[in-house]
Amino acid sequence: MRNKYIFRILEDDSKCNGSSKAFGFDMNMKNIAEIWGSLIALFGQTKYVSEEMEEVFEYYLEAVDNENETLIFSIYHGATGLAIGMHKEYLNSDKAKEMINEFMEKLKKTIPADFNHVGYYRDYGCKVELGVVNGKGYARYIELDDDDY
């Protein structure tokens, strides 16, 4: 089956202003690391990376279908976990659901790039080492010591 969408990094991220969470994914941190590694493999490292685990990364993307219609969205790890955000007019639309399904399948089929990141859940007193080595995600939770605050 031929893919209906082409996914590209969005150079003008202001086009995502006013978007909100459309879809959330219940995944453990190891799986989130693999998704992030797949995003890196497809689009390079994003300029939106933080040490704060409640806003650790965000990619602004566009999906262009075979009729040249564009759907703008973001994928990020925020306070509620891995999510996709988009403008309200697309929320719960069949087109958005179809695009998200194809996008997530593309991520699952992509071999994740190796990376390492250290982030913090300071409210919970822990840091997280997460990343990918040889295509496999990992996540380690470590109790914070005084130097980490």
Side-chain angles (χ1 to χ4, degrees), residues 25-77:
F25 302 93
D26 186 18
M27 295 183 174
N28 64 41
M29 288 305 291
K30 179 184 88 62
N31 296 121
I32 290 169
E34 290 176 358
I35 292 291
W36 192 1
S38 294
L39 288 163
I40 293 168
L42 290 168
F43 306 109
Q45 184 60 275
T46 179
K47 60 184 175 182
Y48 302 99
V49 177
S50 171
E51 286 185 342
E52 298 300 323
M53 289 303 295
E54 293 181 348
E55 55 183 35
V56 73
F57 70 85
E58 186 161 18
Y59 284 79
Y60 296 98
L61 303 166
E62 63 182 352
V64 181
D65 70 13
N66 51 18
E67 295 172 1
N68 216 26
E69 291 185 37
T70 300
L71 198 153
I72 294 170
F73 68 103
S74 63
I75 182 166
Y76 60 93
H77 184 274

